[in-house]
Amino acid sequence: MTSSHPFITVDHMTVRLPNRLILEDSVWSIRSDEHWAILGPNGSGKTTLVRSLWGGVPLRSGAIHFDFLGPDSANRDIPPRDLIGVVSLEMHQRLMEQEELKEEFRAYAGEKGEGTTAQEVIVSGILAHRPLTSGDESRVFQVAELLEMAPLLPRSMASLSTGEARKVLIARALMKSPRLLILDEPFEGLDHGARAALGRSIHQLMTGSLRVLLVAHRLEEILPSITHVLLVKDGRVFRQGTKEEILTSQNLSQLYGCPLLLGKNNGSYNLSYGAANDKKINLPAGCREMLTSGSEALIAMKDTTVKYGDLVVIDRLNWTMQQGENWAILGPNGAGKSTLVKLILGENLQAYANPITLFGKRRGSGETIWEIKKRIGVVSADLQLKYRKKMSAREVIASGFYDSIGLYRVPTREQNETVERWVDLLDIHDLVQEPYPQLSFGQKRMILLARAMVKSPEVLIVDEPCHGLDVANRRRVLKILERIGRTETNLLYITDRPDEILGCITHVMRLQKGKAIQQGRKAEVVPRDGNPT
Amino acid sequence: MAKINFGGVVEDVVTREEFPLAQAQQVLKNEVVAVLGYGVQGPGQSLNMRDNGIRVIVGQRGQTPSWDKAVKDGWVPGQTLFPLEEAASRGTIIEFLLSDAGQKEFWPKLKPHLTEGKTLFFSHGFAITYRQLTGVIPPQKIDVVLVAPKGSGLSVRRNFLEGSGINSSYAVFQDYTGKAKTKTVSLGIAMGSGYLFPTTFENEVYSDLTGERGVLMGAIAGIMEAQYNELRQHGHSPSEAFNETVEEFTQSLIKLAAEKGMDWLYANCSTTAQRGALDWKGKFRDAVAPLFSELYQRVEDGTEAKIVLERNSRPDYREKLDAELACMRNSEMWQAGDKVRDLRPENWKKEA
């Protein structure tokens, strides 16, 4: 292309993290006609790399030249934050934390008032840099139109689905008319429909002069308009170049350290697992193989309804999970899947207002939530959000014995040994010494899975366990869940991906708008092709 | 009970290790705890007790935001949620969590429901200690007890859910059944206390009222304003005056005192700062000592309580209070603070 010129040049950069150096001596050049995607295993340094571009982490040595500022710019090496838009899972998480906190203050301090609206969040993208001007308001609508989200503007953030909230953050980043838009795992946590809609919006953005940098976990997220790919492995830039050159089965297998096959179809990619040669999974003792299926109802809900004012989240649900059954709950964002999980865990307080029976005991008949928690392990985005403590990852795992957030007791030697066995099994030795808050999103997921399993629970609830996991970890987690599903631990597996329903799943329920639209044996609900009937 | 030495003075402290939840459940198994008032402390305490397997009902005036919140929190009207008086008649342990002024007002309606053997349960010693002012003079054939969590309703709930807990003090004012103390400790454990410190109704309310009027709220805001004004009079900018008066204190220094004490805070500052602070600490102590004496006197003789009851029972007390808070919020010092907070490096709005 004739108009191609340097856009950003990473010049022998080394980044300093609180406890180590990373991305040592990295070199990378982005040109003005390129859109890049960044791929790499959990914790390899993808997020740190993009953070360095907007000045979110300090450089130990080297420089980043922002060539798009022009060759004469005196500030060419200083990240122009007002020209770089960023959307990340961290940011999404923090925003939701703030809203949750506000809601709590409202509830416990007798404060009134509404939560932050989508429009207020979008405008805050400007306020970070300068006061509002008259042009900003029309810009809000312009951006909202572009992302097909205008009806969301007056709504409170707390009422939005994950996919909708993600679009709000992208709109916020676009408010300042950035030259570069960094999207750090924008598709994570979105259902099929929301992923497709967001993909269209991002594709639309890429047709303009804006350059996009996309950090992704799944190959199908590499949009056709991405031109170049950079691979990060073990804290180093591993490969970089044109998409065609970099995306090969060989490169990706090396990147993730397991045999992978790359497929291509109509400009989009997919990845399948190659010949398996990994070690056999031996579950720790305590996870005994299940010999017979019992007849005790583990979870039973009758006409269960959860509502907030006029908003009905779970609508007259009748459902029973028997001992010996592994259930998958299928449904899009906003179907009520996470509310269902919270009802079981006692975290949704309307459990007390419904006829729910857990392990043969009616809720509210004198049992404590600790007796329930003891029998249930859980991995969910919600738990990950709430678990923000300064402690080592190993301590986080051990806190599973007490179902606490934070570790307030000293684990016994036996308990420590159980922790070690799960660390072995999940292959997370490198992670457990680290301070938990410093782990990447996907690494935290692995730690929380170990935390859920150390007590060998009767029911393991995994709410979208693969969100945020790289291909290798996803495969590992699915294999381990497959094995767990054949032990005395019964699985309750929540997902919006019919293609990730495990072999050990015996029953499936499809939820939509709080209603069970279908439930029963897997073969009846989800035929062999994996698509719901 | 564990004997614990606090700087040379030994106190009896109940711990949940020696008084486990199972024991509390046993003690309370035939009781119904009626929590009257679903405002600030009500939600946290009632939800914790319910989650700990205790039979709890809530009493709240109907058609209020608090009633709606109770429904949202899984309390079922007619089953576990009632108007105040009905809840009082159904409960065997009546937890009185209305505001201090509200307690005085509701007392005549509550009293008939305090039949023989019931327990009147407080989180605050106010109504009983100042009973000559409030008229809250309990009948003789009931127990009157108190558990006061050392934190907001929000921390009571949040710490419970995280599996840690909150510390509380407890007291018995009247022991008719002979089991008042065990019941009190059980209630404390059931609501999620980690450690329970013994106190009396009087001491609880005197220390509480002195603390919040003094160092915790009144005195701290006052000396901050005095220093800020002095700096401003000498031409220091609002941001500088605020940073040196409030921001450095709340963002950095006080956390050191929380970690390891005041000498640790001092030790982490320059020797110039240490020298001056050591010299001036005594002067400040002596300067405000007479004020604290006056304060304690007024707390003890009921002057402060009288003001609270009189002012907070006026129909427009909420608006007046809000106006005074707004006045503080809109003062130059706290407006400067608002901007300074925005500019904290960790503030996410600043990110990219």
Side-chain angles (χ1 to χ4, degrees), chain A residues 465-480:
Chain A
C466 294
H467 276 179
L469 295 189
D470 64 42
V471 272
N473 277 338
R474 199 179 315 146
R475 177 186 208 201
R476 188 150 196 90
V477 164
L478 289 177
K479 278 189 79 160
I480 289 166

Side-chain angles (χ1 to χ4, degrees), chain A residues 104 128 176 352 369 389, chain B residues 25 51 158 162 349-350 352:
Chain A
E104 281 187 331
K176 53 190 178 186
Y352 286 100
I369 49 164
K389 293 276 172 187
Chain B
Q25 288 172 318
D51 277 345
R158 190 185 285 167
E162 292 189 347
K349 276 200 257 178
K350 294 288 98 189

Side-chain angles (χ1 to χ4, degrees), chain A residues 51 54 81 84 86 91 94-95 98 101 103-105 107-109 112 121 124 127-129 169 172 176 308 346 349-350 352-353 363 366-371 389 404-405 408, chain B residues 16-17 21 25 38-41 43-44 47 50-55 65 69 71-76 153-154 157-164 346-352:
Chain A
R51 283 176 77 94
W54 59 262
R81 289 196 185 191
I84 300 176
V86 183
M91 201 180 251
R94 215 156 26 205
L95 180 70
Q98 283 185 349
L101 211 65
E103 169 65 32
E104 281 187 331
F105 283 138
Y108 287 91
K112 294 192 186 75
V121 170
S124 72
L127 288 174
H129 300 279
L169 284 176
R172 176 181 178 275
K176 53 190 178 186
Y308 299 100
L349 299 170
Q350 293 189 20
Y352 286 100
R363 283 293 276 132
E367 80 296 344
T368 74
I369 49 164
W370 309 108
E371 287 160 8
K389 293 276 172 187
S404 57
I405 291 183
Y408 308 101
Chain B
R16 66 176 152 201
E17 281 71 34
L21 178 59
Q25 288 172 318
Y38 206 68
V40 177
Q41 279 285 343
L47 296 176
R50 181 174 70 176
D51 277 345
N52 270 338
I54 308 298
R55 276 198 285 170
K69 173 170 164 52
V71 172
K72 195 179 130 196
D73 288 351
W75 302 101
V76 183
L154 176 59
R157 181 62 179 161
R158 190 185 285 167
N159 291 13
F160 172 83
L161 288 176
E162 292 189 347
S164 62
E346 77 273 17
N347 192 320
W348 82 284
K349 276 200 257 178
K350 294 288 98 189
E351 220 176 74

Side-chain angles (χ1 to χ4, degrees), chain A residues 250-298:
Chain A
Q250 195 194 357
N251 274 344
L252 293 170
S253 301
Q254 277 181 25
L255 178 70
Y256 291 109
C258 64
L260 296 167
L261 291 171
L262 184 70
K264 198 178 168 188
N265 182 14
N266 270 339
S268 60
Y269 293 85
N270 59 73
L271 208 52
S272 54
Y273 298 106
N277 61 349
D278 41 16
K279 51 186 173 183
K280 181 177 167 9
I281 292 167
N282 287 310
L283 293 178
C287 294
R288 276 170 296 155
E289 296 283 334
M290 198 165 51
L291 303 172
T292 51
S293 60
S295 57
E296 194 202 343
L298 299 171

Side-chain angles (χ1 to χ4, degrees), chain B residues 95-234:
Chain B
E95 183 168 21
F96 206 15
L97 289 183
L98 302 182
S99 69
D100 291 332
Q103 292 191 6
K104 179 186 175 194
E105 187 196 323
F106 186 67
W107 176 248
K109 290 185 178 156
L110 174 61
K111 204 174 166 187
H113 300 292
L114 299 173
T115 50
E116 183 171 355
K118 283 197 180 184
T119 302
L120 180 58
F121 176 32
F122 290 91
S123 270
H124 192 26
F126 192 96
I128 291 289
T129 302
Y130 301 116
R131 53 192 175 282
Q132 301 312 328
L133 299 171
T134 59
V136 179
I137 298 168
Q140 283 176 356
K141 295 186 173 178
I142 63 166
D143 293 343
V144 180
V145 304
L146 168 149
V147 174
K150 302 287 137 195
S152 66
L154 176 59
S155 345
V156 168
R157 181 62 179 161
R158 190 185 285 167
N159 291 13
F160 172 83
L161 288 176
E162 292 189 347
S164 62
I166 195 149
N167 290 341
S168 307
S169 56
Y170 73 96
V172 173
F173 176 74
Q174 185 170 295
D175 183 4
Y176 171 73
T177 61
K179 295 172 191 154
K181 188 177 162 189
T182 319
K183 237 186 283 179
T184 312
V185 171
S186 301
L187 287 164
I189 296 293
M191 72 168 64
S193 306
Y195 294 92
L196 286 153
F197 300 90
T199 185
T200 64
F201 274 62
E202 281 191 351
N203 283 345
E204 191 279 329
V205 77
Y206 291 171
S207 57
D208 203 50
L209 263 61
T210 303
E212 61 210 15
R213 279 153 182 73
V215 170
L216 301 180
M217 295 166 69
I220 191 81
I223 58 168
M224 281 175 171
E225 281 175 27
Q227 177 173 311
Y228 180 88
N229 291 343
E230 189 66 25
L231 287 167
R232 288 288 288 135
Q233 271 175 28
H234 294 281

